[in-house]
Amino acid sequence: MKTIGLIGGMGWESSKLYYERTNKKINESLGGSHSARTIMVSVDFAEIEKLTFKNDWNAIGQIVANCAKQLENAGADIVLLCTNLIHIVSDQIKKNISIPFLHIADATGEAIKAQELNKILLLGTKYTMEKDFYTQILKESYGLKVIIPNEPDRNEIHRIIYRELLKGQFTETSKQSVIKIIEKAQSHGAEGAILGCTELPMLIGENNVTIPTFDTGEIHVNTAVKWSLE
């Protein structure tokens, strides 16, 4: 079994899920008392959040690249970033390590194509929805047609993520808001919805809508565990 390196803290709620899911998946695969070989480096999210609002991606990239190097030096065989948005600085991470880096959009793209879907809704922070670091991989590597909500809906999802989900708050009002946004996209042809913020699946799930939802954190973990056992 190879060692999975995790960069966490963005936010810690989803990082906790990464650790739990990794261990559960390993145990499901190997049985007995088996658990995962993992190493986690966790950042102070307040620092990352402040830099995000300043659009200082270079500074964020330096922080997480250093985390990735810490993981490599500690014996990790692969690096995962326990968040969607911060994959915007993936190139800085890759340049700083010699071990593989598993991009969450690649893992998600593979899962979507396995279900033979073509038109997909992407939900996440405004940065994730509006910038191309995520959509470009889905379009160019997996041939997907990616749609995003209109601007008011993007603003609402962004607000829910930063003011509620990242603070561990999950309200019924926000849940219904996200469901309506997904249903609106479905009426325009969306065949599935990417929950492109690792906290979103804690708010809604497949039982809340009639199209497939893709829990990016779970997909990310499953792909890493499969790799670690090969």
Side-chain angles (χ1 to χ4, degrees), residues 124-138:
T125 67
K126 285 185 67 174
Y127 312 106
T128 302
M129 292 184 287
E130 295 174 359
K131 294 182 180 293
D132 68 356
F133 72 97
Y134 209 101
T135 56
Q136 186 175 16
I137 290 174
L138 296 174

Side-chain angles (χ1 to χ4, degrees), residues 115 117 192-193 195 201 204-215:
Q115 292 199 29
L117 305 182
L195 304 182
I204 66 164
E206 282 203 342
N207 60 327
N208 300 127
V209 293
T210 57
I211 57 175
T213 59
F214 293 87
D215 181 337

Side-chain angles (χ1 to χ4, degrees), residues 73-92:
N73 290 340
D77 296 302
I78 193 169
V79 171
L80 275 68
L81 194 52
C82 304
T83 172
N84 283 271
L85 169 59
I86 307 304
H87 280 77
I88 195 170
V89 297
S90 295
D91 287 344
Q92 283 177 263

Side-chain angles (χ1 to χ4, degrees), residues 118-211:
N118 294 302
K119 191 173 184 180
I120 198 85
L121 171 69
L122 174 62
L123 301 180
T125 67
K126 285 185 67 174
Y127 312 106
T128 302
M129 292 184 287
E130 295 174 359
K131 294 182 180 293
D132 68 356
F133 72 97
Y134 209 101
T135 56
Q136 186 175 16
I137 290 174
L138 296 174
K139 291 175 181 177
E140 294 183 1
S141 298
Y142 301 96
L144 297 171
K145 183 175 183 181
V146 182
I147 60 175
I148 60 173
N150 60 33
E151 186 173 4
D153 287 346
R154 295 198 301 272
N155 290 337
E156 175 63 4
I157 295 169
H158 188 82
R159 182 197 68 78
I160 289 170
I161 290 170
Y162 275 98
R163 295 190 184 178
E164 298 179 16
L165 305 190
L166 287 168
K167 293 177 170 53
Q169 299 172 20
F170 305 91
T171 69
E172 184 63 26
T173 300
S174 294
K175 178 179 179 179
Q176 293 304 320
S177 294
V178 176
I179 289 171
K180 287 178 181 177
I181 291 169
I182 293 174
E183 289 175 342
K184 190 185 300 183
Q186 184 179 1
S187 70
H188 288 90
E191 300 168 332
I194 298 171
L195 304 182
C197 164
T198 44
E199 283 77 18
L200 274 172
M202 290 184 267
L203 184 68
I204 66 164
E206 282 203 342
N207 60 327
N208 300 127
V209 293
T210 57
I211 57 175

Side-chain angles (χ1 to χ4, degrees), residues 48-57 60 127 158 162:
I48 299 294
E49 184 180 52
K50 183 179 178 180
L51 292 170
T52 299
F53 292 153
K54 288 182 176 180
N55 283 308
D56 193 346
W57 304 108
I60 292 172
Y127 312 106
H158 188 82
Y162 275 98

